[in-house]
Amino acid sequence: MAVSLAQMPRGKIRVCFVAGCCGVLLWACVLQLLSLGRLWCCSWTSSGNSPSATLVTTRVISGIGGSSSRSSDLKEKSDSERDTSTTLPPPRIYKSNGYLRVSCNGGLNQMRAEICDMVAIARLLNLTLVVPELDKKSFWADQSNFDDIFDVSYFIDSLRDEVRIVKRLPKRYNQLDSNTSSNSTLISTLRMAPVSWSDEKYYLEQILPLFNKFKVIHFNKTDARLANNGINLSLQKLRCRVNFHALRFTPEIKELGDKLVEAIRKRGSYVALHLRYEMDMLAFSGCNHDCSPEEAEELKRMRYTYPWWREKEIDSKAKRLQGLCPLTPEETSLVLKALGFGNNTQIYIAAGETYGGQKRIKVLQETFPYLLRKEMLVDKELLSKFQNHSSQMAAIDFMVSVASDVFIPTYDGNMAKVVEGFRRYQGYQKSILLDRKRLVEHLDLYKNKTLSFDEFAKAVQQTHERSLGQPACRRQVPNKPKEEDYFYANPYECLSNVTRCAISG
């Protein structure tokens, strides 16, 4: 005989109600655990190792344009990037020792390396990193912020399992201490430039203790503040992870870079020539070979204008013979011809305005008629919003250079080095790394008719047989870090086919 709810004792009703609620809650917990388990498995499977490796192990370089041989993969690549970006690694849980602010200095590619170093230092010291501030005071005076060039959300999210990164410093650290007078400095912040080429010991023993007194440390210069060598393997790999994966260009920059690569590829293969014969480089280096007396004086005046350019009186002739000057456009045309490039070769000029304008580039243009620049390949309207921002333009040139069939820099500056490193990472794509000291000797012998062109060409080709971006170890020079090979040009700890190098850590 059925018993109605009204006839049941009140205690039994309460017990049934509680049991029912517990059952519903238990099922909700089970479903939640199953959902988390599926996410965990997907993350584990995609990395082949652990969830934290999801964004590290992929060989796709986000934000870099491809070649025609890879054009069929572009859509698939972009889809995989979207999928990867939604599967974030779990955040690293740690007690932060304080906030690290950094102000980068230099051009885009110098700043790129600095950002990678600062992430590694923040990870080493268990700090919270504030999104880096970009240089706005250098020769280029580019007012671009980090998020004008890089995808800031992706940068933060993709590194969340290594470092906590925030877009801005909390307001409480921008307030004056209540016990100080109104004209006092911010007592919670220390501004400083760390010692150049420092290793982990310096940061652990000299920098970390400073956070006992200061809540925020602001590195106001970050160029070359971490050593190339002698760094723990895990930190070296983190530097690579930031460089090759986390620093993804904004969709606008990526779109224009892809359009440029596509436009060139429709015409065939191409060489990206980083022709560093620009006014700032010539003034900074003191190189005035083939310049008129008026031009040499103009470059000297510019060098004196910038007090942080330490060298003022420079012997241009001696510096050129040491291989420390960028090749002139005329010298470049002879070298390209000697290397076997024909007059039908497409050559993309990955650089700013050539010093001396069209008259200086005339010989190169006559030798290689298919000389290309950004302005020739896309609509002016599309390019216009980037043109007054040198770092954004450099980002576009970077993409086109990384995607090229052959990359040739006429000077080993920061762009040349970082592009070289990217091309090594992508499978040792051909980069012809010019030995300018030897080239100057060959060029002068050819110009004074000691060598015929065939002899000159043979000498140039023999000089560069082992300078094509092949697998190699970095050159280490104890106590002379400036003379060592640059980490970002050859991060062999992160590359395949380099097993004989002594890897630290």
Side-chain angles (χ1 to χ4, degrees), residues 346-414:
Q346 286 194 108
I347 297 179
Y348 175 84
I349 303 295
E353 185 178 351
T354 302
Y355 184 61
Q358 195 59 37
K359 67 180 178 65
R360 186 60 54 75
I361 209 168
K362 182 180 178 182
V363 172
L364 182 61
Q365 181 77 65
E366 289 174 348
T367 308
F368 297 97
Y370 297 101
L371 211 58
L372 305 173
R373 288 186 177 275
K374 291 181 284 293
E375 298 79 5
M376 301 166 59
L377 297 164
V378 294
D379 294 338
K380 288 183 179 180
E381 185 178 346
L382 187 62
L383 194 61
S384 61
K385 61 182 177 181
F386 301 99
Q387 280 184 318
N388 293 324
H389 302 280
S390 60
S391 290
Q392 295 180 43
M393 294 288 271
I396 295 163
D397 281 338
F398 181 91
M399 288 183 63
V400 181
S401 297
V402 169
S404 64
D405 295 277
V406 183
F407 173 64
I408 306 176
T410 62
Y411 187 77
D412 56 351
N414 288 293

Side-chain angles (χ1 to χ4, degrees), residues 417 420-421 424 472-474 486-493 495:
K417 292 172 180 175
E420 177 192 344
R424 285 177 178 274
C473 301
R474 280 196 307 276
Y486 191 45
F487 173 81
Y488 293 100
N490 183 15
Y492 63 66
E493 296 90 335
L495 308 179

Side-chain angles (χ1 to χ4, degrees), residues 40 95 126 151 158 198 234 293 357 392 394 460 475 477 487-488:
W40 180 268
K95 181 181 178 181
N126 286 333
D151 185 333
S158 66
S198 295
S234 63
Q392 295 180 43
V460 170
R475 182 169 57 93
V477 185
F487 173 81
Y488 293 100

Side-chain angles (χ1 to χ4, degrees), residues 38-66:
R38 282 194 296 271
L39 285 173
W40 180 268
C41 290
C42 290
S43 180
W44 187 283
T45 303
S46 65
S47 70
N49 240 328
S50 67
S52 63
T54 301
L55 294 171
V56 185
T57 56
T58 175
R59 294 290 290 179
V60 175
I61 298 182
S62 301
I64 303 302

Side-chain angles (χ1 to χ4, degrees), residues 125-138:
L125 303 183
N126 286 333
L127 303 174
T128 298
L129 178 67
V130 182
V131 168
E133 302 160 14
L134 303 188
D135 190 340
K136 296 179 173 62
K137 298 179 180 178
S138 64

Side-chain angles (χ1 to χ4, degrees), residues 238-424:
L238 178 56
R239 293 166 92 178
C240 292
R241 177 178 172 182
V242 181
N243 189 24
F244 299 131
H245 299 280
L247 287 175
R248 187 166 73 179
F249 292 131
T250 63
E252 295 78 15
I253 289 175
K254 184 180 184 303
E255 181 184 9
L256 182 54
D258 287 340
K259 283 186 177 180
L260 281 167
V261 172
E262 184 181 0
I264 303 171
R265 285 284 174 202
K266 285 180 179 178
R267 310 175 183 206
S269 59
Y270 71 99
V271 172
L273 178 67
H274 186 44
L275 187 65
R276 196 66 170 94
Y277 199 79
E278 298 160 290
M279 187 176 186
D280 66 298
M281 174 48 64
L282 299 178
F284 175 77
S285 63
C287 298
N288 54 31
H289 180 66
D290 277 356
C291 290
S292 67
E294 293 76 18
E295 288 173 328
E297 184 59 32
E298 180 182 39
L299 294 172
K300 184 177 179 179
R301 283 199 305 272
M302 181 180 176
R303 187 160 64 250
Y304 273 88
T305 300
Y306 293 90
W308 53 89
W309 290 359
R310 295 180 183 176
E311 279 191 281
K312 301 301 181 185
E313 293 297 325
I314 299 174
D315 185 337
S316 176
K317 185 176 180 180
K319 202 159 189 180
R320 177 177 176 269
L321 292 174
Q322 293 167 5
L324 300 176
C325 290
L327 296 182
T328 68
E330 182 183 7
E331 290 172 333
T332 301
S333 66
L334 285 170
V335 170
L336 290 175
K337 191 175 176 183
L339 287 168
F341 293 102
N343 61 4
N344 60 343
T345 303
Q346 286 194 108
I347 297 179
Y348 175 84
I349 303 295
E353 185 178 351
T354 302
Y355 184 61
Q358 195 59 37
K359 67 180 178 65
R360 186 60 54 75
I361 209 168
K362 182 180 178 182
V363 172
L364 182 61
Q365 181 77 65
E366 289 174 348
T367 308
F368 297 97
Y370 297 101
L371 211 58
L372 305 173
R373 288 186 177 275
K374 291 181 284 293
E375 298 79 5
M376 301 166 59
L377 297 164
V378 294
D379 294 338
K380 288 183 179 180
E381 185 178 346
L382 187 62
L383 194 61
S384 61
K385 61 182 177 181
F386 301 99
Q387 280 184 318
N388 293 324
H389 302 280
S390 60
S391 290
Q392 295 180 43
M393 294 288 271
I396 295 163
D397 281 338
F398 181 91
M399 288 183 63
V400 181
S401 297
V402 169
S404 64
D405 295 277
V406 183
F407 173 64
I408 306 176
T410 62
Y411 187 77
D412 56 351
N414 288 293
M415 172 153 169
K417 292 172 180 175
V418 177
V419 170
E420 177 192 344
F422 261 80
R423 292 174 67 81
R424 285 177 178 274

